[in-house]
Amino acid sequence: MEGKLSPIKDDSYRPLREVVFETISNAICTGVLKPGERLMEINIANELGVSRTPVREAIRKLELEGYVMMIPRRGTYVADVSIHDVYEVFEIRSALDSLASRLAAERISEDELHELHRLLLEIEKYIELDDINKIVKYDTKFHDLLYKASRNNRLVGIIFNLREQLTRFRTKSMSYPGRLRETLEEHRRIVDAIARGNTSDAQRVAEEHIEKSEQTFLKSIKDINLK
């Protein structure tokens, strides 16, 4: 994995272990670090320009989140994904996103609705620039705001606890050729239904969006040796 990660700028207010975790998880999500690739603490620390302690802490969290697997006497490897994992995660996403969209259609504020439209414009801009990192960033902001607009704190809490798994699957699905434009149009239909206050349409188009995302994700891993 030598040379795949860039040094971390030490200008964040967050704990270093969190920045390291985010850096490695993003590299896994975007395919910079491949399934089955071995992760060496010392190499990662050298590439990121940090000590081994935050790297060790980040790897422990990565294992808990399912990004990596630690094999005794062999080392740490980027985890593969099973069909069962795919079905479970997308079942959860379908339930959460459709519920959040339905509730948002009832409870969203004008300012939040305006911000959703603005985020869609940002995503479209970075699709044009082919900047996947910025696309993921603003797509995450879009979903976070959608969940917030549900006005259901317990729902938001459940989603937050699953955030890393959901982001990993979402990123891989969006990276499939042609999927970014489709995703943008599906998001626009969700926002349109929410803006009209149509709860049934908002729930339906959110479910359709997740179903298409799942189908795309399965296409993207068809050549991977699944468990």
Side-chain angles (χ1 to χ4, degrees):
M1 63 156 286
E2 186 175 352
K4 291 188 174 183
L5 302 176
S6 301
I8 290 175
K9 295 180 180 179
D10 190 19
D11 57 0
S12 175
Y13 62 88
R14 294 179 298 162
L16 188 55
R17 64 180 179 277
E18 292 184 8
V19 180
V20 173
F21 169 83
E22 184 177 281
T23 300
I24 300 173
S25 63
N26 284 343
I28 293 172
C29 285
T30 56
V32 174
L33 298 175
K34 309 291 185 184
E37 187 167 352
R38 188 178 184 187
L39 303 182
M40 304 282 289
E41 279 185 17
I42 185 63
N43 291 347
I44 294 174
N46 288 339
E47 289 192 24
L48 297 181
V50 300
S51 70
R52 294 180 66 174
T53 298
V55 174
R56 187 176 302 114
E57 293 171 343
I59 286 177
R60 289 197 191 105
K61 185 177 180 182
L62 287 164
E63 183 185 26
L64 291 174
E65 297 284 359
Y67 284 91
V68 306
M69 52 185 176
M70 301 179 73
I71 303 176
R73 296 184 296 279
R74 288 185 57 191
T76 302
Y77 296 82
V78 177
D80 205 338
V81 61
S82 72
I83 290 292
H84 183 68
D85 294 330
V86 175
Y87 289 149
E88 283 194 341
V89 169
F90 279 100
E91 279 180 345
I92 293 170
R93 274 203 65 190
S94 181
L96 297 178
D97 281 43
S98 61
L99 175 58
S101 297
R102 179 172 67 80
L103 294 176
E106 297 176 345
R107 305 169 179 176
I108 196 167
S109 70
E110 286 298 323
D111 286 345
E112 288 169 334
L113 189 57
H114 177 77
E115 180 64 6
L116 285 179
H117 282 294
R118 189 191 71 79
L119 289 171
L120 289 179
L121 291 176
E122 290 289 336
I123 293 170
E124 184 174 28
K125 178 177 73 175
Y126 288 111
I127 289 176
E128 294 289 345
L129 296 173
D130 195 28
D131 189 333
I132 188 63
N133 289 327
K134 288 290 179 62
I135 294 168
V136 171
K137 174 184 176 180
Y138 284 100
D139 182 78
T140 300
K141 286 178 178 288
F142 174 88
H143 284 277
D144 285 350
L145 182 55
L146 182 63
Y147 301 143
K148 177 186 175 185
S150 74
R151 299 291 185 273
N152 186 314
N153 291 332
R154 292 186 186 275
L155 172 62
V156 174
I158 292 170
I159 292 168
F160 182 81
N161 289 334
L162 295 168
R163 184 188 184 107
E164 301 303 333
Q165 294 98 318
L166 297 177
T167 299
R168 182 183 186 188
F169 280 61
R170 184 188 300 146
T171 303
K172 192 169 184 65
S173 174
M174 288 195 305
S175 299
Y176 193 80
R179 180 58 188 157
L180 285 173
R181 288 284 178 187
E182 292 178 352
T183 298
L184 180 62
E185 291 308 311
E186 290 161 17
H187 283 174
R188 282 176 173 153
R189 286 197 288 273
I190 293 171
V191 173
D192 177 65
I194 291 173
R196 289 185 284 109
N198 192 318
T199 57
S200 59
D201 273 4
Q203 181 169 349
R204 176 180 55 81
V205 293
E207 288 173 349
E208 291 174 354
H209 167 59
I210 301 305
E211 182 180 350
K212 290 179 181 178
S213 296
E214 180 179 12
Q215 292 170 355
T216 304
F217 186 91
L218 290 171
K219 288 179 185 177
S220 73
I221 61 173
K222 65 181 180 179
D223 294 327
I224 296 176
N225 184 22
L226 297 173
K227 297 177 183 176

